[in-house]
Amino acid sequence: QVQLVESGGGLVQAGGSLSLSCAASGSIFSIAAMHWDRQAPGKQRELVAGITSSSSTNYADSVKGRFTISRDNAKNTVYLQMNSLKPEDTAIYYCKALWLGAYGSPYELWGQGTQVTVSS
C-alpha cells in the first residue's frame, strides 16, 4: 500500500521561509514523478512544482526563483523549500506521485495536504 505523508506546513510572516516534506511508503518512489500542488480557498488546485525520477524540475511562474523542489530517493522523500513567501502563497499544499504501472497504465496518488498560511 503506497502512502504519501506531508509535513512542514504552518504560519509564517510574509518574506519568511518554510520547508515542506513528503514521505512516500511503498516501492514506487524511485520511478515516480513527484509534484507539489496547492489549492487556495475558492480557487482551483494548481501545480506549484514538479520533479521527475531523474530530477528534472519545473515550476509555476508564480514561484520561480522563490521555491525549490528536490528529492532524496534513498529516503523516499520529496521536499519543497519555500522562500520569500507572499500572502498569495497561502493554500493547502498537496504532494502527488505519478507513475506508470507494469503495463504502462498511469497511476497517481495524493497526500492528505498540509496548510501553509502567510500573514502580511
Side-chain angles (χ1 to χ4, degrees):
Q1 184 81 11
V2 180
Q3 288 185 317
L4 301 176
V5 179
E6 298 107 331
S7 60
L11 173 64
V12 65
Q13 287 189 330
S17 298
L18 281 175
S19 181
L20 305 183
S21 298
C22 172
S25 62
S27 60
I28 56 93
F29 185 82
S30 64
I31 65 170
M34 302 297 297
H35 287 184
W36 284 100
D37 293 0
R38 68 186 179 189
Q39 187 165 20
K43 294 188 176 181
Q44 289 189 328
R45 195 171 295 192
E46 62 176 357
L47 172 68
V48 175
I51 186 166
T52 67
S53 58
S54 58
S55 296
S56 295
T57 60
N58 64 287
Y59 298 91
D61 288 343
S62 59
V63 307
K64 281 181 182 176
R66 300 189 298 122
F67 291 11
T68 302
I69 189 171
S70 61
R71 65 191 294 160
D72 185 338
N73 287 345
K75 296 181 178 180
N76 284 1
T77 302
V78 62
Y79 305 95
L80 186 68
Q81 177 65 41
M82 303 183 293
N83 299 327
S84 302
L85 282 161
K86 304 175 181 180
E88 52 263 43
D89 294 318
T90 295
I92 300 174
Y93 283 70
Y94 297 90
C95 175
K96 182 171 74 174
L98 304 99
W99 71 97
L100 296 179
Y103 298 100
S105 300
Y107 292 88
E108 66 176 35
L109 178 69
W110 294 89
Q112 83 284 358
T114 185
Q115 177 70 47
V116 171
T117 303
V118 184
S119 63
S120 57

